[in-house]
Amino acid sequence: MTTLADYLNQHATNPALNDVITTVTDVGKTISQLLRKGALADILGEAGNQNVQGEDQKKLDVLANDLLLDALAKNAHCAGVASEELDDATPANDDGSLLVLFDPLDGSSNIDINMAVGTIFSVLPYERQGQTSENSDYLQAGNKQLSAGYLLYGTSTVLALTIADKVVMFSLDPETSDYVLIEDNVQIDADTSEYAINSSNYRYWRAPMQQYIDELIAGETGLRGRDFNTRWVAAMVGDVHRILCRGGLFTYPFDTKYAHKAGKLRLMYEANPMSLLIERAGGGATDAINRILDIEPTDIHQRVPVVLGSKNEVNYVKELHVNYSK
Ligand code: AHG
Ligand code: MN
Ligand code: MN
């Protein structure tokens, strides 16, 4: 049996990174316990406020955010924290060498119906050690991430993590409270017949995305010549986890539903960490055309269209978009 602590000792060459990953995953244990108690812990329902993105916050969005923020602020290696739920990044310890970014609770609409939710995190290097960190310090492309991962609070709690060049998974043992290694080299098949998209937004998509989904729905009667199946968890963590387990394509594409947004998902808290995991497991991750990990961010809360998963399928979506714009 290999625990997360064993794995980090054996594989992470950076002790500071070990330490912040341990802090985040320890908080994950607390969030997991609260979720197990559910309504009995008075954690369900609305918090009564909106976040910087204009979204209604759930009690658990706020609670998970505060737990992570408090724990990371005490970590000497953490120079600052940026969260989907906070207007601005919060400086932590000026001498720290790492910045931690997170979506404290992904899939908020699932909380009150007892469905899967998660926590997504990303770690970036801090280049101005000794000085107080600011929003601009976080504006680094996803390819600079030192580590990324998520906790999925599902029927069991699972941690997917990438340090160095591998993606690994751990399961939280509720009896010992240890994360135990269950997969030591996750790989995604290049081909798939499963896809995830919120089709109710069809009329807001661009023509090549409409064409792509039309082709999948036509199945064996269309030019793809085989049937496809839809799965949609409504929490990116759940959909990405399924893809790491058995392949698939997940997309939240560009849409014109809200004029000022390029897509729904957030580059720094969702798209970048998930893209790092997916690429390191052999999959692809684009905004339909360009590699997500190469996007130079201009705002910590910016949004981006996302197409990720089995490589051949991600490339096919790209082909449709490139051909359309020719
Ligand atoms: P969050 O709960 O952090 O705001 O993120 C929810 C995201 C993502 O997890 C999921 O894929 C998507 O929103 C669900 O969108 P729909 O509301 O369109 O189903
Ligand atoms: Mn989210
Ligand atoms: Mn969230």
Side-chain angles (χ1 to χ4, degrees):
M1 184 184 91
T2 305
T3 64
L4 175 63
D6 298 334
Y7 187 85
L8 291 175
N9 282 332
Q10 289 160 12
H11 293 88
T13 47
N14 176 346
L17 192 56
N18 278 7
D19 210 43
V20 297
I21 291 170
T22 304
T23 298
V24 171
T25 52
D26 280 350
V27 174
K29 294 178 188 177
T30 308
I31 298 173
S32 177
Q33 277 165 359
L34 287 169
L35 284 162
R36 298 286 166 253
K37 281 206 145 193
L40 306 179
D42 191 28
I43 54 163
L44 308 186
E46 305 295 325
N49 334 309
Q50 284 195 335
N51 65 13
V52 62
Q53 341 241 357
E55 297 160 340
D56 292 329
Q57 289 179 311
K58 300 273 184 186
K59 277 186 199 164
L60 205 62
D61 285 323
V62 177
L63 193 59
N65 179 72
D66 293 352
L67 288 168
L68 283 164
L69 184 63
D70 289 352
L72 286 163
K74 292 188 198 120
N75 188 309
H77 301 292
C78 179
V81 165
S83 162
E84 179 186 286
E85 301 298 337
L86 297 170
D87 299 16
D88 289 302
T90 309
N93 300 296
D94 294 359
D95 291 330
S97 59
L98 302 171
L99 299 170
V100 183
L101 302 87
F102 51 80
D103 175 355
L105 218 286
D106 177 66
S108 306
S109 68
N110 277 357
I111 300 169
D112 295 344
I113 56 168
N114 212 1
M115 293 292 144
V117 293
T119 297
I120 310 171
F121 61 93
S122 158
V123 185
L124 285 167
Y126 181 50
E127 308 292 358
R128 295 191 309 116
Q129 262 179 286
Q131 299 175 62
T132 304
S133 62
E134 297 168 2
N135 284 7
S136 55
D137 293 307
Y138 295 78
L139 303 180
Q140 307 181 43
N143 58 38
K144 299 274 181 358
Q145 292 172 102
L146 300 172
S147 174
Y150 63 75
L151 285 145
L152 168 67
Y153 314 107
T155 47
S156 59
T157 293
V158 174
L159 164 70
L161 177 71
T162 176
I163 51 170
D165 54 358
K166 269 194 189 171
V167 178
V168 293
M169 282 183 193
F170 299 84
S171 190
L172 180 61
D173 182 335
E175 276 156 25
T176 62
S177 274
D178 280 326
Y179 290 101
V180 179
L181 188 69
I182 51 170
E183 289 290 339
D184 68 355
N185 186 16
V186 177
Q187 290 292 321
I188 304 171
D189 286 347
D191 292 301
T192 183
S193 295
E194 212 162 55
Y195 70 99
I197 192 167
N198 183 345
S199 296
S200 65
N201 294 322
Y202 183 93
R203 72 181 186 281
Y204 301 110
W205 300 336
R206 287 179 168 148
M209 186 51 73
Q210 291 177 331
Q211 182 189 332
Y212 174 63
I213 298 300
D214 288 345
E215 288 180 11
L216 301 189
I217 291 171
E220 64 177 3
T221 68
L223 65 87
R224 297 298 301 267
R226 62 192 165 93
D227 286 340
F228 287 78
N229 194 29
T230 307
R231 284 288 179 268
W232 180 251
V233 178
M236 187 190 199
V237 167
D239 286 304
V240 168
H241 188 66
R242 185 185 59 253
I243 290 172
L244 289 178
C245 291
R246 65 176 193 212
L249 180 122
F250 166 86
T251 177
Y252 215 107
F254 177 91
D255 66 42
T256 55
K257 197 170 181 179
Y258 304 103
H260 57 290
K261 294 177 187 167
K264 183 174 185 193
L265 299 175
R266 283 128 299 206
L267 177 63
M268 311 298 287
Y269 318 112
E270 295 170 321
N272 272 341
M274 294 311 207
S275 297
L276 192 71
L277 288 165
I278 292 285
E279 280 202 8
R280 290 207 175 145
T286 70
D287 65 0
I289 294 181
N290 304 299
R291 185 182 183 223
I292 285 176
L293 293 178
D294 290 338
I295 295 173
E296 292 293 340
T298 53
D299 184 299
I300 56 169
H301 295 302
Q302 89 188 61
R303 304 196 186 230
V304 66
V306 172
V307 180
L308 58 76
S310 293
K311 206 163 202 167
N312 292 343
E313 211 53 34
V314 173
N315 286 341
Y316 184 69
V317 174
K318 175 175 174 172
E319 219 174 279
L320 291 178
H321 282 77
V322 169
N323 289 342
Y324 186 79
S325 54
K326 269 183 192 159

